Amino acid sequence: MNQHVKGTIFGLVITIGLGIVGYLAVVFYLISQGFDESNQIIDVIRSKNAMYWSMPYTLLVTILGVWLGVRKIDSRIYFVAAIIVLLTALSVTSGPLKIMSIHMNYIPIILGGILGAYAGAKT
């Protein structure tokens, strides 16, 4: 398989996979704190406080996913990073993950893609 396609798929799986893990960690944490109604959990997840906590996590996950996806690619690193960022944003916007997204963190996704591609180009 082409190294660009493998890098794109690997970076996308890492980025979306860690996003799902983070979401499930928040839900299980809230359940362990005594939130037993789904309405309560949704209200906490949709709060501004959760948005502020989810932004750095989204940034770090995107940096890691893009960096792992592009680090072994010789050329078109930024193109592969752009594809990973676009597919991640698309999955959060209109895919099945729309239900799970805490907030639509497009700025951290874009910045994480740029920083991850830059780090991948340097290694």
Side-chain angles (χ1 to χ4, degrees):
M1 191 184 307
N2 189 355
Q3 68 177 350
H4 296 100
V5 174
K6 284 197 311 192
T8 302
I9 291 171
F10 185 67
L12 189 63
V13 166
I14 294 294
T15 303
I16 292 176
L18 288 177
I20 291 170
V21 167
Y23 180 82
L24 292 176
V26 168
V27 169
F28 287 131
Y29 174 75
L30 290 174
I31 290 171
S32 73
Q33 294 298 313
F35 291 91
D36 54 353
E37 300 272 337
S38 62
N39 291 338
Q40 293 173 332
I41 294 173
I42 290 171
D43 288 341
V44 172
I45 287 176
R46 298 283 180 208
S47 69
K48 284 203 180 280
N49 194 18
M51 178 186 70
Y52 296 140
W53 280 104
S54 69
M55 290 178 106
Y57 181 77
T58 303
L59 179 70
L60 292 174
V61 163
T62 308
I63 289 172
L64 180 66
V66 171
W67 176 71
L68 289 173
V70 302
R71 67 187 169 126
K72 293 185 179 180
I73 297 175
D74 298 330
S75 63
R76 296 183 180 177
I77 290 173
Y78 290 100
F79 177 73
V80 171
I83 297 297
I84 293 171
V85 166
L86 288 174
L87 290 176
T88 302
L90 185 66
S91 70
V92 170
T93 303
S94 62
L97 299 177
K98 182 177 182 178
I99 297 170
M100 291 180 57
S101 65
I102 293 177
H103 290 276
M104 305 301 176
N105 292 331
Y106 298 117
I107 292 174
I109 289 172
I110 293 168
L111 287 175
I114 293 169
L115 292 173
Y118 179 76
K122 292 294 181 183
T123 56

